[in-house]
């Protein structure tokens, strides 16, 4: 029995043998020993000698701090830990949590999924700790067992918050549908006609190639820095450009240059395709490639610990100073759903200075307060749930979505309008394959959204059509840019070769997408496109003349020759004092048969010469030189 062991230990100590004391509260008594003591005390009140009285207090004290046996090896093992071990474990856990918070910097906000992952982890640890305390304390075990309900309640609250955001919960479908308010617009009135001197002709991939070439011209930068993949599209001094900061090439390069910072950023003009490395008077100190305190994500999150930041962008103010733009999220449905933007934090990339604005008060030089992916998600919510959750699955009446892009990416592009950047995406029915019912334009600074009901081809169909027009050259089309050309919604695409270089341009009318106009320059593509619209009647005669696609010509007829091309009769006319050939196609221009050589005539024709594709009928008197000649199609006789 236990008191015999105590007598034995006392005798050994009297003989000079070192024996550890066993009466400390720091060490828990094994579960088996506790059970053994309980059995001895139940032997019917047997009489013990005086040593039992001397040590009875120690036994009672040990039993008060002992563990109950559960049969679970994990909890039984933890229950045998000493107080010192538990204190050390708690300190290690607290230090680990503090270090993890500094490194991962989650937003301290109950609407942050990352924070809830930590809360659930802590709740599990607390539940385990309370279970262990209930095993170690016979006096307060019941209380600790009741307290386990607290971390369990926290986990249940998380589950309830997640479920509360599901769209099938009554009222949620309407909330999803109104996160982004979209109104109908008139394309020709809302969108300015294109200025071809400001049409962006390169996409993100081409900007990366041009930026790398510009970077290669500065050897001292190439050895130390790389270009970030950001390449944000912004309006800078009224021109569409892509801008991206330099980053440290690796950890050793950061160690060598951390005191001087990042000296430049790359600016790519999307119109002229010129790229330059812009050197800064004051270097960038706060960037993505900083590993420690000046890491831009860590810096701004620790400065605003309760803000939930969305996808940041790199932008320039009107003075060319680089800033990081951080949109601040707000959840409007349940715990995590219905995300929108309520504030924007601006961080000076050079000094670390911060400015905090409500989203409606953001400076006009900021272009991207609303991230592109979030806008697409918000519109898809409204397209899916406008008529309720049940309709989104069963009837699917008027259920729409934004058109998909290529290579699994979202399908959108950007339109520069005034001081702002607009996100553009086509809209199609959920059951449609290659046709769109319209498109949306969303101001990325204000979140103002408009829908334009224009039925036509989707972007990927237009891309395939343009590539088919130049299939012998094997050019690849960029994702279309939406332009207003003579009041017509028009897809504009750059055609790139296998090396990623822009070689030609293509335009396709969104509504009438069967024909493709191409050109080696933007101006040539414009002329060809306007001539195509005038020829097929898409533009009225007044619109064609006003747009420059057509012009009025008059003079005295010098020659008239008739030809049959592809089974249709044509009259080819030349005027005195001019070498140009004018094509009058029958039966639309039947009035030409009334004219003879020497008569005065006035007519409207296209502003661009085209190549006659078929040979004239020999019986019509057409010469071999006329076949394939440059002619100007006539659209109307005055």
């Amino acid at each position: 029995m236990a008191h015999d062991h105590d007598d034995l230990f006392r005798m050994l100590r009297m003989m000079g043998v070192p024996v550890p004391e066993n009466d400390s509260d720091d060490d828990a008594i094994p579960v088996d020993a506790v059970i053994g003591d309980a059995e001895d005390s139940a032997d019917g009140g047997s009489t013990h000698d005086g040593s039992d009285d001397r040590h009875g207090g120690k036994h009672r004290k040990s039993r008060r701090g002992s563990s109950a046996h559960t049969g679970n090896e994990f909890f039984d093992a933890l229950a045998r830990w000493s107080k010192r071990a538990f204190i050390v474990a708690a300190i290690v856990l607290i230090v680990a949590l503090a270090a993890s918070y500094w490194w991962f910097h989650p937003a301290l906000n109950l609407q942050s999924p990352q924070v809830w992952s930590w809360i659930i982890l802590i709740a599990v640890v607390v539940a385990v700790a309370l279970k262990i305390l209930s095993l170690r304390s016979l006096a307060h075990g019941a209380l600790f067992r009741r307290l386990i309900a607290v971390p369990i309640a926290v986990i249940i609250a998380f589950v309830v918050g997640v479920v509360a955001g599901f769209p099938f919960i009554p009222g949620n479908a309407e909330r999803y549908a109104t996160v982004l308010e979209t109104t109908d617009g008139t394309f020709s009135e809302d969108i300015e006609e294109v200025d071809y001197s400001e049409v962006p002709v390169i996409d993100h991939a081409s900007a990366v190639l041009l930026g790398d070439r510009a970077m290669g011209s500065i050897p001292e930068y190439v050895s130390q820095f790389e270009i970030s993949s950001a390449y944000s599209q912004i309006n800078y001094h009224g021109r569409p450009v892509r801008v991206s900061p330099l980053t440290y090439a690796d950890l050793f390069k950061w160690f060598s240059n951390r005191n001087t910072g990042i000296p430049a950023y790359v600016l790519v003009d999307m119109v002229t395709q010129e790229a330059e490395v812009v050197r800064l008077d004051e270097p960038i100190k706060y960037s993505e490639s900083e590993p420690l305190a000046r890491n831009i994500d860590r810096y701004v999150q620790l400065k605003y610990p309760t803000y939930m930041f969305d996808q940041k962008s790199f932008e320039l103010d009107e003075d060319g100073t680089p800033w990081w733009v951080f949109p601040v999220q707000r959840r409007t449905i349940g715990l995590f759903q219905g995300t929108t933007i309520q504030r924007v934090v601006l961080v000076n990339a050079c000094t670390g200075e911060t400015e905090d604005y409500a989203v409606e008060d953001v400076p006009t030089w900021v272009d991207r307060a609303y991230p592109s992916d979030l806008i697409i998600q918000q519109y898809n919510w409204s397209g899916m749930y406008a008529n309720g959750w049940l309709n989104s699955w069963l009837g699917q009446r008027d259920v729409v979505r934004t058109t998909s892009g290529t290579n699994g990416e979202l399908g959108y592009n950007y339109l520069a309008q005034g001081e702002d950047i607009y996100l553009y995406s086509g809209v199609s029915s959920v059951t449609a394959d290659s046709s769109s019912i319209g498109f949306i334009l969303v101001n990325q600074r204000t979140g103002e959204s408009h829908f334009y009901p224009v039925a036509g081809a989707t972007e990927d169909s237009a891309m395939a059509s343009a590539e088919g027009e130049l299939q012998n050259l094997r050019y690849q089309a960029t994702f279309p840019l939406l332009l207003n050309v003579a009041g017509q919604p028009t897809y504009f695409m750059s055609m790139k070769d296998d090396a990623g270089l822009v070689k030609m341009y293509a335009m396709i009318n969104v509504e009438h997408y069967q024909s493709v106009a191409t050109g080696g320059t933007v101006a040539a593509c414009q002329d060809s496109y306007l001539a195509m619209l005038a020829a097929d009647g898409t533009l009225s005669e007044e619109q064609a003349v006003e747009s420059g696609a057509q012009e009025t010509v008059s003079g005295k007829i010098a020659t008239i020759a008739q030809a049959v091309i592809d089974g249709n009769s044509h009259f080819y006319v030349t005027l005195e004092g001019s070498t140009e050939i004018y094509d009058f196609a029958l039966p639309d221009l039947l009035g030409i048969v009334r004219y003879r050589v020497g008569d005065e005539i006035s007519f409207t024709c296209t502003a661009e010469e085209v190549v006659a594709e078929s040979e004239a009928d020999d019986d019509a008197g057409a010469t071999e030189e006329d076949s394939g000649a440059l002619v100007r199609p006539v659209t109307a006789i005055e």
Side-chain angles (χ1 to χ4, degrees):
M1 291 186 294
H3 62 273
D4 294 328
H5 291 290
D6 292 339
D7 292 339
L8 177 60
F9 290 157
R10 185 172 63 255
M11 292 175 59
L12 292 174
R13 281 193 290 269
M14 293 176 60
M15 296 171 59
V17 178
V19 177
E21 295 290 338
N22 196 31
D23 56 355
S24 173
D25 283 338
D26 289 343
D27 295 318
I29 298 176
V31 174
D32 294 341
V34 175
I35 296 174
D37 287 347
E39 292 175 349
D40 289 342
S41 62
D43 283 343
S46 58
T47 305
H48 303 279
D49 57 16
S51 62
D52 215 20
D53 294 332
R54 288 193 302 270
H55 300 284
K58 293 183 180 180
H59 281 288
R60 288 190 297 272
K61 185 176 180 181
S62 298
R63 282 195 291 270
R64 284 194 301 269
S66 63
S67 302
H69 186 65
T70 66
N72 187 302
E73 295 183 1
F74 174 74
F75 287 108
D76 288 345
L78 290 179
R80 296 190 186 100
W81 282 18
S82 66
K83 291 181 180 178
R84 185 180 295 106
F86 278 109
I87 292 173
V88 171
I91 293 174
V92 170
L93 180 61
I94 292 172
V95 171
L97 287 174
S100 297
Y101 170 72
W102 185 87
W103 184 260
F104 295 105
H105 46 270
L108 299 181
N109 191 307
L110 290 180
Q111 292 186 323
S112 169
Q114 192 174 8
V115 162
W116 271 101
S117 66
W118 289 48
I119 291 175
I120 292 175
L121 176 62
I122 293 173
V124 171
V125 171
V126 170
V128 172
L130 290 173
K131 177 66 174 178
I132 294 170
L133 290 175
S134 69
L135 296 176
R136 291 176 60 88
S137 174
L138 298 179
H140 304 290
L143 173 63
F144 288 134
R145 283 192 294 272
R146 285 193 294 270
L147 289 176
I148 294 176
V150 175
I152 293 177
V154 171
I155 297 175
I156 293 175
F158 165 76
V159 175
V160 171
V162 172
V163 173
F166 288 171
F168 59 76
I169 299 297
N172 277 3
E174 181 180 358
R175 297 187 186 98
Y176 275 105
T178 56
V179 171
L180 179 68
E181 295 284 354
T182 301
T183 59
D184 289 345
T186 304
F187 180 80
S188 58
E189 297 177 1
D190 295 350
I191 307 302
E192 300 174 0
E193 286 200 32
V194 63
D195 182 352
Y196 288 96
S197 64
E198 298 180 357
V199 174
V201 299
I202 59 174
D203 58 3
H204 182 277
S206 297
V208 171
L209 289 176
L210 295 172
D212 289 342
R213 291 183 179 180
M215 187 72 172
S217 64
I218 307 178
E220 66 269 24
Y221 287 178
V222 174
S223 62
Q224 300 296 312
F225 303 97
E226 296 176 347
I227 305 177
S228 169
S229 60
Y231 281 99
S232 304
Q233 180 173 336
I234 62 173
N235 267 1
Y236 182 57
H237 294 166
R239 293 184 67 81
V241 301
R242 285 190 180 268
V243 60
S244 194
L246 302 186
T247 62
Y248 299 108
D250 53 47
L251 187 62
F252 297 102
K253 302 299 188 302
W254 164 78
F255 191 79
S256 302
N257 297 280
R258 69 187 189 281
N259 292 329
T260 56
I262 297 173
Y265 57 80
V266 173
L267 187 71
V268 181
D269 192 309
M270 300 183 67
V271 178
T272 64
Q273 303 186 52
E274 296 177 355
E276 61 175 323
V277 179
V278 180
R279 300 173 185 264
L280 292 165
D281 295 332
E282 186 174 7
I284 295 174
K285 292 293 185 68
Y286 297 83
S287 71
E288 295 175 299
S289 58
E290 283 280 349
L292 299 178
R294 292 192 314 211
N295 176 275
I296 185 59
D297 296 304
R298 180 176 297 114
Y299 173 78
V300 71
Q301 187 66 79
L302 295 180
K303 195 172 183 66
Y304 298 90
T306 62
Y307 282 5
M308 296 181 295
F309 292 111
D310 209 309
Q311 181 181 1
K312 65 182 179 296
S313 61
F314 184 80
E315 299 192 26
L316 306 176
D317 63 17
E318 294 304 319
D319 297 326
T321 302
W323 291 78
W324 293 101
V325 179
F326 281 85
V328 181
Q329 296 180 347
R330 179 171 65 91
R331 320 287 191 194
T332 61
I333 305 172
L335 195 57
F336 302 130
Q337 299 300 323
T339 303
T340 188
I341 301 300
Q342 66 171 354
R343 307 191 66 80
V344 175
V345 173
L346 307 180
V347 185
N348 189 307
C350 302
T351 65
E353 169 195 358
T354 62
E355 298 177 6
D356 185 8
Y357 296 95
V359 69
E360 61 270 15
D361 299 327
V362 173
T364 55
W365 61 262
V366 175
D367 291 315
R368 300 169 69 91
Y370 286 81
S372 304
D373 292 357
L374 178 61
I375 290 174
I376 295 296
Q377 183 183 52
Q378 289 178 340
Y379 185 80
N380 285 339
W381 284 338
S382 62
M384 178 69 71
Y385 302 116
N387 293 311
W389 174 79
L390 193 61
N391 178 73
S392 69
W393 289 98
L394 298 180
Q396 294 189 326
R397 179 174 57 87
D398 298 330
V399 175
V400 298
R401 64 184 178 191
T402 55
T403 51
S404 58
T406 57
N407 300 326
E409 299 178 354
L410 294 176
Y412 57 78
N413 210 329
Y414 305 103
L415 175 65
Q417 187 82 1
E419 295 182 335
D420 295 319
I421 294 290
Y422 287 78
L423 178 139
Y424 151 78
S425 179
V427 177
S428 65
S429 170
V430 292
T431 58
D433 294 326
S434 59
S435 62
S436 65
I437 63 172
F439 51 87
I440 57 169
L441 289 176
V442 184
N443 189 312
Q444 288 200 269
R445 178 173 60 87
T446 65
E448 181 182 2
S449 176
H450 294 287
F451 172 75
Y452 300 91
V454 179
T458 58
E459 296 90 339
D460 54 352
S461 297
M463 293 168 66
S465 181
E467 291 170 356
E469 183 73 11
L470 301 171
Q471 58 182 333
N472 59 313
L473 300 174
R474 301 179 63 184
Y475 290 160
Q476 296 178 349
T478 60
F479 194 85
L481 178 68
L482 187 71
L483 302 179
N484 180 355
V485 181
Q488 296 291 317
T490 302
Y491 287 135
F492 173 80
M493 291 159 282
S494 297
M495 308 301 294
K496 300 194 297 184
D497 61 13
D498 292 338
L501 301 178
V502 176
K503 295 298 185 180
M504 295 186 69
Y505 306 95
M507 287 185 177
I508 300 178
N509 188 276
V510 174
E511 294 181 274
H512 309 285
Y513 51 89
Q514 293 84 359
S515 301
V516 180
T518 60
T521 65
V522 177
C525 185
Q526 167 198 3
D527 293 339
S528 177
Y529 178 69
L530 289 172
M532 182 182 71
L533 294 182
D536 63 18
T538 302
L539 295 181
S540 66
E541 184 177 340
E542 294 76 12
Q543 289 176 319
V545 172
E546 183 179 350
S547 67
Q550 294 183 352
E551 61 179 313
T552 301
V553 177
S554 60
K556 184 178 291 186
I557 297 176
T559 63
I560 296 180
Q562 185 179 1
V564 176
I565 300 177
D566 294 335
N568 298 315
S569 296
H570 292 253
F571 281 82
Y572 290 95
V573 175
T574 63
L575 302 180
E576 292 182 358
S578 173
T579 59
E580 294 184 321
I581 302 173
Y582 301 96
D583 178 13
F584 292 76
L586 273 61
D588 295 336
L589 301 174
L590 187 61
I592 188 61
V593 301
R594 300 191 180 98
Y595 289 85
R596 299 291 182 269
V597 174
D599 290 348
E600 291 287 339
I601 189 171
S602 180
F603 54 86
T604 303
C605 65
T606 62
E608 181 190 17
E609 294 180 333
V610 298
V611 179
E613 298 178 352
S614 301
E615 294 185 357
D617 192 308
D618 291 339
D619 295 336
T623 65
E624 186 177 350
E625 291 79 23
D626 292 328
S627 177
L630 293 174
V631 300
R632 297 177 65 179
V634 177
T635 57
I637 301 175
E638 299 294 335

